């Protein structure tokens, strides 16, 4: 039985294939196509939506890892390499991705395919950093994605083929100083806060007037890696902020004093200074379900206020704060931030609580502000909502007809999103 990270998606594929190289991927796709079976590429299972659910053949890419080459401002890695492994390999060479995620477990191909983003108002998602992709299409043939197909392929939800290699732009490594503080909601919602820093986000509980703001700026200081104990404290503080102190307290009550102490200390010292991927990383200590929406940047403040009011009005049981982030317009045709500066709003539900009321409410309130859902998170959208929201959808579907005419790569969820 396969389950995703949250435990909310499950399937029992009739077969799981774990190829060791691209030739193995091609053989697996050809075999599935010849038998009339569907085959689904599966990464780390970090998506909350059923995107990676494989009812027939699951294509496990966990053996396709490692560096292919690095140089000339580019790195090429195999598809199953995790975002964290990539950051580590780049750091050994004093390099980094410009986009820093706060999660290290997704595979590079999965992060690219779902448009995984951080919170930098001027730096695009992992998929925006892609400069080259190698893919196995529905016939089983491998190809380098041509430039005129790149913006379709960079956020393709696994619908165009199996990515075997990803090439990304890199930059010299950089050091961030991260700070956090309580701030009034009005202040953190203003452009002065969210757009003024290299990286900035905030979280806010319904009923609260203050938010917990976290921001980071590039500095020329030397990195100051934390001690093991301090790293654990940072992890707890970030998890409490991102993942919900209340839920964490409910699940592991004995940790609450430690979280509070660590939070106070971090606030007291005011900042943490380290290599970007180390300072932003927040490996969770509890699990949750999540829905996240990409709003036009100008609609963010109204969207957040209305959602907070709606949650309070309906008295939904919320153990987690809303998480609010920003990003620039994205080039990926199906990226939720395609063509517009974006404010991201995420809602979380503790494991064991029905996520549907919160997902539906976020869809109603944020959808009314022209929000588009993150494909890797929970949402109720089908092709009827997608069609008016994505101006390049028809071009994407035409390319899908060429790269996967027999729909070798689909699953029921993808059928509802893109049509059969
Ligand atoms: C704790 C946690 C924190 C998160 N934080 C963030 C965040 O800060 N920002 C954010 O944007 N998202 C975040 N996410 C969502 C997450 O990053 C991605 O949606 C997801 O993890 C993608 O990577 P994966 O390897 O897990 O892919 P999976 O979930 O396994 O698959 C996702 C999709 O990619 C496709 N795919 C996978 N590999 C390939 C391949 N080789 N070729 C073609 N298609 C492929 C699958 O078919 C599927 O459609 C978070 C998730 C978790 C669990």
């Amino acid at each position: 039985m396969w389950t995703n990270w949250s435990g909310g998606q499950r399937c029992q594929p009739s077969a799981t294939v774990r190829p060791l190289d691209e030739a193995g991927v091609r053989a697996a796709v050809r075999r599935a196509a010849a038998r009339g079976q569907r085959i689904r590429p599966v990464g780390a299972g970090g998506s909350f939506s059923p995107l990676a659910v494989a009812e027939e053949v699951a294509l496990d890419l966990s053996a396709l890892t490692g560096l292919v080459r690095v140089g000339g401002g580019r790195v090429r890695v195999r598809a199953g390499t995790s975002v964290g492994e990539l950051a580590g390999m780049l750091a050994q060479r004093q390099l980094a991705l410009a986009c820093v995620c706060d999660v290290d477990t997704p595979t590079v191909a999965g992060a690219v395919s779902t448009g995984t983003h951080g919170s930098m108002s001027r730096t695009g998602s992992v998929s925006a950093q892609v400069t080259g992709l190698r893919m196995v299409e529905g016939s089983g043939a491998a190809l380098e994605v041509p430039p005129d197909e790149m913006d379709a392929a960079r956020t393709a939800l696994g619908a165009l083929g199996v990515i075997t290699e990803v090439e990304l732009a890199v930059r010299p490594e950089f050091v961030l100083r991260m700070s956090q503080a309580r701030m009034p909601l009005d202040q953190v919602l203003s452009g002065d806060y969210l757009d003024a820093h290299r990286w900035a986000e905030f979280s806010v509980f319904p009923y609260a007037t203050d938010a917990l703001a976290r921001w980071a700026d590039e500095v020329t200081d030397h990195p100051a890696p934390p001690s093991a104990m301090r790293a654990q404290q940072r992890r707890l503080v970030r998890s409490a902020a991102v993942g919900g102190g209340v839920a964490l307290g409910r699940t592991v009550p004995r940790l609450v004093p430690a979280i509070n102490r660590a939070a106070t200390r971090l606030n007291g010292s005011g900042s943490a200074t380290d290599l970007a991927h180390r300072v932003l990383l927040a490996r969770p200590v509890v699990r949750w379900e999540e829905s996240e929406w990409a709003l036009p940047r100008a609609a963010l403040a109204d969207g957040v206020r209305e959602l907070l009011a709606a949650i309070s009005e309906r008295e939904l049981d919320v153990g987690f704060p809303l998480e609010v982030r920003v990003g620039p317009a994205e080039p990926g045709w199906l990226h939720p931030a395609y063509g517009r500066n974006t404010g991201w709003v995420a809602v979380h539900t503790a494991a064991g609580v029905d996520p549907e009321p919160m997902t539906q409410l976020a869809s109603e309130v944020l959808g009314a502000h022209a929000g588009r859902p993150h494909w890797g998170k929970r949402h109720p959208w089908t092709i009827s909502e997608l069609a008016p929201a994505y101006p390049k959808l028809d071009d994407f579907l035409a390319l899908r007809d060429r790269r996967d005419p027999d729909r070798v790569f689909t699953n029921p969820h993808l059928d509802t999103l893109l049509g059969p």
Side-chain angles (χ1 to χ4, degrees), residues 8 25 96 98 161 185 187 207 267 270 293 354 363 369 392:
V25 174
L185 182 59
Q187 189 181 336
Y207 314 104
N267 276 331
W293 293 75
D354 178 8
S363 168
H369 284 279
K392 299 290 276 182

Side-chain angles (χ1 to χ4, degrees), residues 40-41 43-47 61 102 106-107 109-110 114 116-117 157 161 163 325 374:
R40 199 75 194 124
S47 296
L61 292 156
D102 61 14
T107 60
T114 55
T116 298
H117 65 96
L157 319 181
I163 298 168
R325 298 187 278 180
H374 187 311

Side-chain angles (χ1 to χ4, degrees), residues 117-139:
H117 65 96
S119 189
M120 293 174 164
S121 61
R122 285 178 291 278
T123 305
S125 70
V126 183
S127 82
Q129 313 303 322
V130 170
T131 53
L133 282 174
R134 195 167 165 80
M135 225 180 228
V136 172
E137 61 177 9
S139 66

